[in-house]
Amino acid sequence: MIADVLIKNASELVTARGPRGSPKTKEAMEDLGIITNGAVAIDGKEIVAVGETDEVLAAVTRARTVIDATDRIVLPGFVDCHTHLVFGGSREDEFIQKIGGRSYLEIMQGNGGILSTVEKTREALASPRALLNRAGAFLDKMLAYGTTTTEIKTGYGLSTESELALLKIIASVKESQPVDIVATFLGAHAFPKEYAKRKADYIQLVLGMLERVKTEGLAEYCDVFVEVGAFSPSEARTILEQAKKHGLKLKLHAGEFNDIGGAELGAELGATSIDHLDYISERGIELMAEKKIIAVLLPGVPFHLMTDRYAPARKLIDAGVPVALATDFNPGSCPTLSMQMIIALACRQLKMTPAEAINAATINAAYALDRGDKVGSIEVGKRADTMVLDIPHHRQLPYWFGVNLVTTVVKNGVVTYPP
Ligand code: NIG
Ligand code: FE
């Protein structure tokens, strides 16, 4: 067989393969499906052979591009399953206030936080082209750090017109660069200023937005920020139930600063994932385990906000909840695009092992976007999204932190990084 791309001699080919059809839980999260001295062959956009280098070379007689990964490891591309990547402005001023001891919720109540980015984003929407270009530049950086699929939420428009405009920017950026994108509608991210005293009216407005999102086919997921000062579980229920009727899949921001029952609500409604969970009840953990709802943990948030309250990852894993990791890239609570940094934090702060963290950032994150059958592992028939890291062993991935270990990214069967 002649292949388009052949990567060979990898000291470890980390396949992340596992049971078909479901994310990894418990001990399976320790299993990375490593093939030593491994190789992978790609034809078009698909992986066509995986195995020890000798075996793969016996099947693949020639390849147009050959990458020698001697002394390096090969991984599936990262899946960043929670980001807010389209926004105007930045919030380093708040970051400095946080260094001085002000909390995220205090800043939010003082009209800073999400609402300050809403203001900047609405201004920026006057020239959508600039926002689109900025999103493209963020995605280029993500790709250089190994992310080949990402979710992107709206949530900085908070009016029908601006939320739809953000969804259209997400749709355009999906077409204009190589990273695969999954769109999430987060009209219920905060109550905009003009509705501060008319919360029920804003909920009605969001229901109207959902109508448009559905008819225009602009999002696959609907998310709600369930938190003190944001949406209560009963407000979230109204929105999420309607979204479900429209055929959207569900995600929730829950337990970022307070546990107000978001995990229980998400479990009851059959959400694909519930994200953050720095605060979660025992009952919430049990329900998520029972329903196999993915916990998307975002350790970059307590790190950036300096709160020292991290999700109980060990408890979640022991209880049988499938755990995934993501950046939560946004200007307020986590301005990083690097999944390598998130893995480094997951090991240090969540006490996940390197193997668990890598599964959480690849195959389980793919399931958190309902794409576990297509991406997230190196297996025959899956999309050819793989990368080479300049380390001889996967345990070094979280060990060297704050540096980019990725040397080559193959996206859809094409060497895309370095450009
Ligand atoms: O996931 N919590 C809500 N949304 C983001 C923060 C957004 C912002 O601060 O701008 C989060 O942490
Ligand atoms: Fe978020």
Side-chain angles (χ1 to χ4, degrees), residues 82 84 153 253 276 328:
H82 179 141
H84 308 245
K153 303 175 198 296
H253 279 68
H276 286 285
D328 196 10

Side-chain angles (χ1 to χ4, degrees), residues 214-235:
K214 180 205 159 196
T215 33
E216 298 182 35
L218 289 167
E220 187 172 329
Y221 284 91
C222 176
D223 192 344
V224 175
F225 182 21
V226 183
E227 183 57 66
V228 176
F231 294 79
S232 69
S234 84
E235 290 163 339

